[in-house]
Amino acid sequence: MAYKNIKITKGNAGFGGPLIIEPNEHKNKVLCVTGQQVSPVAKKIAEMTGCELVDGFKTTVPDDEVAVAVVNCGGTARCGVYPKKGIMTVNVEPVGAVGPLAMYIKPEIYVSDVKESNLFYTDETNASTASTAEEELATADGPKSKEQAKAEVAAAQGQKKQNLVTRIGVGVGHVVNKFFAAGRDSIDMVIRNILPFMAFTSTLLGIIQASGLGNVIAHTISPLCSTLPGMIAISFICGMPFLSPILGPGAVIAQVVGTLLGAEFAKGNIPPQYSLPALFAINAQVGCDFIPVGLSLGEAEPETIEMGVPAVLYSRIITGPIGVIVGFLLSFGLYA
């Protein structure tokens, strides 16, 4: 089958790219991991390239067969999982290099805010630096086998014997660099994830107080969260298989509702003993968008993913209410 190369550019609010997708007889799958509905962008990519479209919530394929992965991650781990594997990644959401895997989200392998209008046919190809270097070496000195190259490297390393002081210095430098890198990554994560969320929470609370939305919430959500049956109903709705993958991305729903409920708990509109079960009630859907990605990271077989994704999704409508009941029982005496 003849495959066609395409060029994918970022949207107006996007990051990264452009990506050149070059499918072949082996790497000919478009993996779509966008919840219960296959993204139109993924469909268009498959149509233009001639690749096979695979729904990541129903099955999976080996990583070396994926030409491009399409996600709708709002900034959690999913947008960095496939770049970490070296797979070209298209995010339909306007998300840059964020999340715990931000170091793998690079412009040459990741592009975001992609719409169907950002897809183009192209004749461009990706030049391989490794093949270029091999060609230059073959032209200059003749081709070398892998065994010859390894022997030359081993001989060069054998000629450099380090004394005790040098080895100690190298070891100390290695440890210091590790600690320095850990500190840098920690600060980077705080700046990229924690501080923006704090600003978002402050802004949201300000809007709630200024608009009077808090009063509306107090009269609608508060009654549900102040009774055990109401919280069980919330967890059941959030855990429905056709809703949970949509409510899960970026944990946005849990963040927003949690912020609103926190304000109501602080005002005394909801008794504090209901805070623990309320936490379980609004988090029944968390992680449902990540299930196929998690199974893929665990190198699960395609058959396992086909059965595992719906099994976990359906289990949430059972474990969600159970979690609320357990949280309710454990909350006795906490605020006496």
Side-chain angles (χ1 to χ4, degrees):
M1 179 178 180
Y3 298 100
K4 296 182 179 179
N5 299 345
I6 66 169
K7 181 178 181 180
I8 305 177
T9 61
K10 64 181 179 181
N12 294 331
F15 168 86
L19 303 184
I20 306 298
I21 308 302
E22 301 175 304
N24 52 47
E25 291 297 333
H26 181 70
K27 184 174 290 189
N28 56 6
K29 304 294 191 302
V30 177
L31 181 62
C32 181
V33 192
T34 56
Q36 296 295 83
Q37 183 177 5
V38 175
S39 169
V41 172
K43 293 180 181 178
K44 186 68 174 179
I45 293 175
E47 177 185 337
M48 293 177 66
T49 59
C51 291
E52 178 185 349
L53 180 60
V54 178
D55 187 349
F57 270 79
K58 295 181 179 179
T59 185
T60 188
V61 293
D63 293 339
D64 58 354
E65 295 183 12
V66 179
V68 60
V70 180
V71 301
N72 64 339
C73 181
T76 52
R78 190 158 37 122
C79 59
V81 166
Y82 296 104
K84 182 180 180 182
K85 293 182 175 184
I87 298 175
M88 297 283 189
T89 303
V90 171
N91 194 349
V92 297
E93 301 294 336
V95 174
V98 298
L101 300 176
M103 71 286 294
Y104 300 104
I105 302 177
K106 299 179 181 179
E108 58 267 21
I109 200 172
Y110 174 90
V111 65
S112 64
D113 194 28
V114 175
K115 303 174 179 60
E116 294 180 67
S117 58
N118 297 114
L119 308 177
F120 309 94
Y121 285 109
T122 179
D123 293 328
E124 297 181 33
T125 58
N126 290 331
S128 172
T129 56
S131 62
T132 302
E134 289 178 0
E135 291 175 1
E136 293 177 354
L137 183 61
T139 302
D141 302 320
K144 293 183 179 180
S145 65
K146 292 183 178 180
E147 290 74 13
Q148 290 175 329
K150 290 180 179 179
E152 291 180 1
V153 172
Q157 291 178 342
Q159 295 173 357
K160 299 179 180 179
K161 294 183 178 180
Q162 298 176 338
N163 58 35
L164 178 61
V165 176
T166 303
R167 290 199 297 269
I168 293 176
V170 171
V172 171
H174 182 72
V175 173
V176 171
N177 287 335
K178 286 289 185 182
F179 280 105
F180 176 75
R184 181 181 57 196
D185 292 342
S186 299
I187 294 175
D188 184 68
M189 184 172 292
V190 169
I191 294 175
R192 289 176 177 270
N193 299 311
I194 298 177
L195 293 182
F197 176 68
M198 292 174 64
F200 159 76
T201 303
S202 301
T203 303
L204 187 61
L205 287 175
I207 294 174
I208 292 171
Q209 293 177 356
S211 63
L213 183 60
N215 295 328
V216 176
I217 296 169
H219 291 89
T220 54
I221 298 179
S222 298
L224 289 176
C225 288
S226 59
T227 63
L228 181 60
M231 288 186 290
I232 292 176
I234 291 175
S235 66
F236 182 83
I237 294 172
C238 291
M240 289 182 174
F242 59 89
L243 283 180
S244 54
I246 301 173
L247 300 177
V252 174
I253 299 300
Q255 292 178 7
V256 173
V257 176
T259 301
L260 301 180
L261 290 180
E264 297 306 313
F265 279 113
K267 293 177 182 178
N269 294 327
I270 305 176
Q273 60 266 28
Y274 289 106
S275 58
L276 184 59
L279 177 65
F280 287 95
I282 65 175
N283 280 280
Q285 80 287 349
V286 170
C288 285
D289 61 314
F290 193 74
I291 295 169
V293 180
L295 290 172
S296 177
L297 285 174
E299 299 181 355
E301 297 293 334
E303 294 79 7
T304 303
I305 294 180
E306 290 178 6
M307 301 299 295
V309 172
V312 176
L313 291 179
Y314 279 104
S315 71
R316 290 300 179 91
I317 62 177
I318 300 174
T319 59
I322 292 177
V324 172
I325 295 174
V326 172
F328 179 77
L329 296 176
L330 294 178
S331 66
F332 284 123
L334 286 178
Y335 303 96

